[in-house]
Amino acid sequence: PLTIAVAGGTGVVGRHVVAAATAAGHPVRVLARATGVDLRSPEHLADHLAGVDVVVDASGISTLDEDASVAFFESVTSSLLRAEAEADVRHHVALSIVGAAAAPSGYYAGKARQERLLQESGAAWTILRTTQFHEFVAQVLQRPPLLGVHLVPSMRTQPVAAAEVADELVRLAEREPAGFATDLGGPAAEKLTDLARRYLAATGGRGPVVPVPVPGPMGRAMRSGGLLPGPGALRGRQTFDEWLRAVRSSPGV
């Protein structure tokens, strides 16, 4: 077994990485604020990585602001790489997004910066780019409606299960560093507005859903399918509707 440290191990994907790695028999360390670890501060971070073989970085920040995203991922990635070098960690596995390099604006700009830092680091790394998770729809709908109307970006997406992303991250952690791994997307391409309407219907939400074109290169990529995985990408199994049925049957929904 490998000792695996999961940065952001309490997040949407990170908690699944912890579960998958544990189920595979690997000792796991969770690096997150909830466990007393500030990923943006290199102080004492190497101590948490002593004896670690692989770091899986599933950390993230809830923002659409480009500067905030870049600052977060630059700080976290730099701190982790510095601590990993000090602790002799042999492999860094990072979670990124399909289209991060092609449309580096907003949140994606931070992921693009993260990718460049790894490429320039001289460390042994693997990057897995995936599409948005099923949970992305709920995150979009958390924004307050405008006069009862849900404004949703005009976007083609191919949502994938967070648990399946985690399984692939653990498989990559068990292998030799591979640079850019094969992209991972969900089983089917969808319109974000259609997903939003189905989510609202399933969870008792109200109000019409209106598509809003996002300006600039990011908006063009959203509408054109530039954020969808290519033909050679891996495909997840769980559909959005299967995920939605699981959400609907969960307590409190």
Side-chain angles (χ1 to χ4, degrees):
L2 301 169
T3 298
I4 298 176
V6 184
T10 58
V12 172
V13 174
R15 59 189 177 88
H16 289 293
V17 175
V18 171
T22 301
H26 303 295
V28 176
R29 299 182 194 175
V30 178
L31 308 180
R33 284 188 179 275
T35 60
V37 181
D38 183 356
L39 296 173
R40 286 178 284 191
S41 175
E43 185 179 2
H44 305 309
L45 189 53
D47 295 339
H48 295 283
L49 298 181
V52 167
D53 298 297
V54 185
V55 167
V56 175
D57 184 7
S59 63
I61 180 173
S62 297
T63 185
L64 296 176
D65 182 78
E66 183 170 318
D67 291 339
S69 180
V70 170
F72 175 84
F73 286 107
E74 186 171 80
S75 178
V76 168
T77 304
S78 298
S79 294
L80 284 173
L81 288 172
R82 177 179 166 185
E84 288 167 24
E86 187 176 336
D88 293 322
V89 176
R90 67 175 185 82
H91 189 186
H92 182 108
V93 178
L95 172 63
S96 191
I97 309 175
V98 170
S105 63
Y107 182 81
Y108 281 46
K111 302 305 290 184
R113 180 60 178 153
Q114 178 187 31
E115 290 185 2
R116 288 197 299 274
L117 284 171
L118 288 173
Q119 289 176 279
E120 298 165 359
S121 68
W125 55 271
T126 300
I127 293 174
L128 174 66
R129 289 169 170 164
T130 77
T131 52
Q132 300 287 351
F133 317 129
H134 294 316
E135 288 85 354
F136 176 64
V137 178
Q139 293 168 358
V140 170
L141 290 171
Q142 283 177 352
R143 301 167 197 163
L146 182 64
L147 300 177
V149 175
H150 298 277
L151 303 179
V152 174
S154 297
M155 178 180 182
R156 292 178 62 205
T157 184
Q158 195 161 320
V160 64
E164 293 177 354
V165 171
D167 289 342
E168 184 62 18
L169 287 169
V170 173
R171 281 192 288 270
L172 292 170
E174 293 171 335
R175 301 170 186 168
E176 293 301 312
F180 284 101
T182 303
D183 292 351
L184 172 63
E190 306 257 18
K191 290 182 179 179
L192 185 59
T193 48
D194 291 342
L195 300 179
R197 292 184 183 106
R198 277 142 61 190
Y199 183 89
L200 289 171
T203 58
R206 294 183 178 181
V209 173
V210 175
V212 177
V214 175
M218 174 57 75
R220 288 193 294 272
M222 285 179 165
R223 295 187 296 274
S224 69
L227 305 184
L228 300 179
L234 300 174
R235 294 288 188 269
R237 298 176 304 279
Q238 186 189 50
T239 67
F240 179 79
D241 290 325
E242 288 170 343
W243 173 81
L244 196 53
R245 283 194 291 272
V247 168
R248 191 175 183 180
S249 64
S250 299
V253 177

